Amino acid sequence: MDKLTYIHDFVRLDHPYLRAIAEQDEAREDIQPTIGPDVGRLLGLLIRMANAKRVLEFGTCLGYSTVWLATAVKATGGHLTSIELRPDLYAETQKNLAAAGLSGYVDLIRGDAKEVAERLAGPFDLILQDSDKALYPEMLERCIALVRPGGLVVADDASFKPMGVPAALSDPVHRYNQIVFADPRLYSTILPIGDGLTISLKL
């Protein structure tokens, strides 16, 4: 038994509909893979630990991560704001949230993550950055402004560079990692789960 199989034997899905969304994801070739159950479970843990009431997500894809986050804020009595640019993925997320019975816990916005972020008012307890990878470094300053002191900015796909992902996707994520680790306002680490997760605490 390898390490990942061992972990997944313990990690349970927080919502039964997550399996259906994962199956939708596996049948698609025009989207990036979902965050996976190990990352989803960690996000659920972080939200519960912080008793987070306001969570922000950039990039929903089919709504897999959105359901993990929405299930967590349901437990804390909070609310999730999720932003998706592609009309088809926005519609899929909307449908999947409804099927999961979680629409009432999510404000789903269709639009460019960077543009919508400028209109939002903080503070948020946790921000998940999983939008267009080119936007990671561009949006960082706004994310820092939107998250509360003691809150978290979490970036998915942090290990794209060592995974050999093409430069168009991996270079901006690598630059993002360089910036957050050099920023004295943040205390950051990278966890080798999923495709890598950079977690930054706002000091």
Side-chain angles (χ1 to χ4, degrees):
M1 178 184 297
D2 62 25
K3 181 170 65 175
L4 193 58
T5 302
Y6 178 81
I7 292 170
H8 285 178
D9 280 347
F10 285 100
V11 173
R12 296 291 181 262
L13 301 178
D14 280 3
H15 195 289
Y17 195 69
L18 285 163
R19 193 173 307 280
I21 305 176
E23 290 172 358
Q24 295 169 29
D25 177 84
E26 291 170 4
R28 300 279 292 266
E29 296 183 355
D30 62 328
I31 55 176
Q32 292 187 31
T34 64
I35 58 171
D38 44 358
V39 173
R41 189 76 173 190
L42 176 60
L43 292 170
L45 177 68
L46 293 173
I47 289 169
R48 288 168 173 83
M49 284 176 62
N51 195 30
K53 296 294 194 286
R54 296 192 74 205
V55 176
L56 175 60
E57 175 188 36
F58 296 116
T60 69
C61 196
L62 299 176
Y64 185 85
S65 57
T66 314
V67 168
W68 276 102
L69 297 172
T71 304
V73 296
K74 179 182 178 181
T76 64
H79 199 78
L80 170 65
T81 300
S82 295
I83 300 158
E84 175 56 54
L85 175 62
R86 281 177 51 175
D88 58 331
L89 298 183
Y90 172 88
E92 291 288 341
T93 298
Q94 195 171 45
K95 181 184 72 175
N96 285 327
L97 283 171
L102 293 168
S103 299
Y105 298 93
V106 184
D107 182 15
L108 185 61
I109 301 171
R110 186 165 73 85
D112 179 87
K114 187 176 180 182
E115 293 176 3
V116 175
E118 293 299 326
R119 305 196 303 264
L120 295 175
F124 289 91
D125 300 299
L126 183 145
I127 297 173
L128 174 62
Q129 174 58 280
D130 197 15
S131 65
D132 184 333
K133 305 314 162 195
L135 294 179
Y136 277 36
E138 293 181 24
M139 290 183 63
L140 177 58
E141 197 60 38
R142 184 58 183 159
C143 288
I144 294 172
L146 284 172
V147 76
R148 66 169 173 83
L152 298 173
V153 180
V154 181
D156 191 33
D157 302 319
S159 300
F160 268 11
K161 190 77 169 177
M163 289 169 59
V165 172
L169 296 173
S170 63
D171 282 357
V173 179
H174 177 61
R175 179 61 184 147
Y176 174 91
N177 288 333
Q178 290 177 317
I179 295 170
V180 297
F181 275 87
D183 195 317
R185 298 169 296 176
L186 303 173
Y187 184 87
S188 300
T189 190
I190 300 178
L191 299 182
I193 61 173
D195 290 332
L197 204 67
T198 298
I199 302 177
S200 300
L201 173 74
K202 181 176 176 180
L203 301 174

